[in-house]
Amino acid sequence: MNLPEFSSKIIYNEDTFKSLAAFIKTFKASNIFILTDTNTNQHCSSYFLSNLETTLAVEVLEIEVGEQHKNIETCFQLWEAMANLGADKKTLLINLGGGVLTDLGGFLASTYKRGISFINIPTTLLAMVDAAIGGKTGVNLGNLKNQVGVINPAKAILIDPSFLATLPPQEMRSGLAEMLKHGLIYDAAYWNKLSALNKLTTADLMELIKTSIEIKTTIVAKDLHENNLRKVLNYGHTLGHAIESYCFNHPNLPKLLHGEAIAIGMVLEAYLSVEIASLSKAAAKEIKQVVLQSFPKITFTETDIENIYQLLQHDKKNSHGNIQFVLLEAIGKPVIDCNATFTQVKAAFDFYNS
Ligand code: NAD
Ligand code: ZN
């Protein structure tokens, strides 16, 4: 069989809502359920509902905000609510929110009645350029992230930057980190463009979001199940994830959003790229300087670094005994499946701290 790997329709023209209405008609859906969280119900629902052109019955579901609700208990409540409110096999689920919501809603739709159609309407920058795209859906298992899920692309993804008007600046920054990553792993010209910006303005945003989406979809279309090429999207994430969970559990360190931790991970892994791949020292310095332009610097002590390395070791059990890094040969040119020693990781922190 020759199945298309990744086939979500991405709607981001001037007439987004007209295109969405036309697209919804093609489903012959029985009704529409819109999944929101407390914030997106408050900030995004009325704008979305007033622009949604449909004659179908619409139900709005709301969950509590936050990563801690991305779990099977929330799904259970939603499966029950949907059944009680008459959701059937032809119900269309629309996920209106950030990455927590599109991950959870995608999983909910993929499992309800063995799978109903769903559309993602990302309302955070991070979800627009990353989480809502690429078919990864799922929930956390206790403290372990994304342990239960399926790969099932949304039928469509609607991008409307006007949702970002109410997004806090820290959340905008978190999305910017993933955009910088897209430049670093795929497109040096895009990296240069982002580096030259003093701040993200609405005028630039649509164009930049479009480039990031093109990069992500191109990569995902070639390797939906992350056997090979898709791993490049993990640049900055090996150390970034460890830093994210370490900071989350340590009162002396600030709690970082995902993208903020990834930004630090990208600087550290730039240093490793000099040591292990062939990235030039000048490029690593540039990456550090660009990241520190937009992200606050955190000071890590010797103990922090040792503990973060322990967390990496824990990860190692999950990947055939090696800590896997994506590194850079040059800006725009990644290499997958690299390994680094503790001494090299320690030196990377010295580079970041200096
Ligand atoms: P999020 O969904 O928690 O959203 C961040 C915050 O912004 C929340 O408080 C939310 O309620 C609020 N919010 C959302 N839209 C808003 C708006 N327009 N105005 C005001 N507030 C708004 O987090 P996120 O950063 O979007 O996503 C992080 C999640 O995405 C994580 O669970 C991560 O695992 C997942 N993720 C998934 C993928 C993937 O490929 N599936 C990729 C990256 C991240
Ligand atoms: Zn990420």
Side-chain angles (χ1 to χ4, degrees), residues 8-256:
S8 298
K9 182 181 174 67
I10 303 192
I11 303 171
Y12 45 20
N13 51 27
E14 306 77 47
D15 254 338
T16 32
F17 284 95
K18 287 246 167 323
S19 308
L20 179 68
F23 190 67
I24 287 176
K25 275 200 181 137
T26 64
F27 287 116
K28 304 203 170 25
S30 49
N31 49 25
I32 295 176
F33 278 61
I34 300 176
L35 182 63
T36 63
D37 69 24
T38 321
N39 288 334
T40 62
N41 202 7
Q42 184 190 341
H43 296 298
C44 310
S45 279
S46 56
Y47 167 76
F48 180 67
L49 287 169
S50 63
N51 281 287
L52 179 69
E53 294 170 21
T54 184
T55 52
L56 297 171
V58 176
E59 290 283 353
V60 177
L61 303 171
E62 182 188 299
I63 61 170
E64 285 182 63
V65 168
E67 188 70 34
Q68 69 277 26
H69 298 289
K70 194 177 109 178
N71 57 30
I72 206 75
E73 288 79 15
T74 308
C75 277
F76 186 77
Q77 287 164 14
L78 290 167
W79 285 320
E80 281 202 323
M82 289 173 75
N84 291 337
L85 291 165
D88 61 24
K89 185 78 192 140
K90 293 296 285 177
T91 291
L92 173 68
L93 180 71
I94 298 183
N95 298 319
L96 183 67
V100 165
L101 205 97
T102 55
D103 274 12
L104 180 109
F107 181 68
L108 182 75
S110 306
T111 45
Y112 185 72
K113 294 197 184 282
R114 298 199 185 93
I116 59 170
S117 297
F118 69 99
I119 291 179
N120 284 340
I121 321 266
T123 60
T124 63
L125 184 58
L126 187 132
M128 288 182 192
V129 298
D130 194 358
I133 295 164
K136 285 189 181 177
T137 76
V139 293
N140 304 330
L141 196 58
N143 291 330
L144 299 173
K145 280 195 60 149
N146 307 326
Q147 295 295 298
V148 178
V150 295
I151 291 191
N152 181 24
K155 290 282 183 259
I157 299 144
L158 180 141
I159 305 294
D160 183 345
S162 57
F163 285 119
L164 300 175
T166 52
L167 195 69
Q170 207 191 345
E171 298 286 352
M172 286 295 283
R173 192 161 75 194
S174 186
L176 172 66
E178 300 286 359
M179 297 165 85
L180 290 169
K181 179 195 76 183
H182 290 145
L184 290 174
I185 58 164
Y186 198 83
D187 184 345
Y190 181 47
W191 163 260
N192 290 336
K193 200 171 186 179
L194 287 169
S195 312
L197 293 174
N198 286 327
K199 67 194 280 270
L200 282 177
T201 62
T202 328
D204 297 321
L205 216 48
M206 192 61 182
E207 200 53 41
L208 299 170
I209 291 173
K210 226 167 158 173
T211 308
S212 265
I213 291 176
E214 276 160 14
I215 293 171
K216 177 139 190 200
T217 48
T218 307
I219 293 168
V220 170
K222 290 183 183 154
D223 178 22
L224 182 63
H225 293 276
E226 197 169 314
N227 296 318
N228 212 311
L229 178 69
R230 189 170 182 168
K231 291 183 187 173
V232 301
L233 290 163
N234 295 328
Y235 178 68
H237 281 61
T238 304
L239 277 156
H241 272 148
I243 290 169
E244 188 180 359
S245 59
Y246 184 73
C247 290
F248 187 80
N249 293 308
H250 281 76
N252 294 344
L253 288 164
K255 301 224 178 326
L256 299 176

Side-chain angles (χ1 to χ4, degrees), residues 240-296:
H241 272 148
I243 290 169
E244 188 180 359
S245 59
Y246 184 73
C247 290
F248 187 80
N249 293 308
H250 281 76
N252 294 344
L253 288 164
K255 301 224 178 326
L256 299 176
L257 293 180
H258 174 74
E260 295 174 315
I262 296 317
I264 301 172
M266 291 194 295
V267 175
L268 298 168
E269 293 178 17
Y271 177 86
L272 294 179
S273 300
V274 175
E275 291 287 299
I276 299 162
S278 52
L279 189 72
S280 69
K281 278 190 181 143
K285 276 192 186 153
E286 180 186 325
I287 293 170
K288 178 177 163 184
Q289 183 249 319
V290 170
V291 164
L292 292 181
Q293 220 163 265
S294 304
F295 296 84

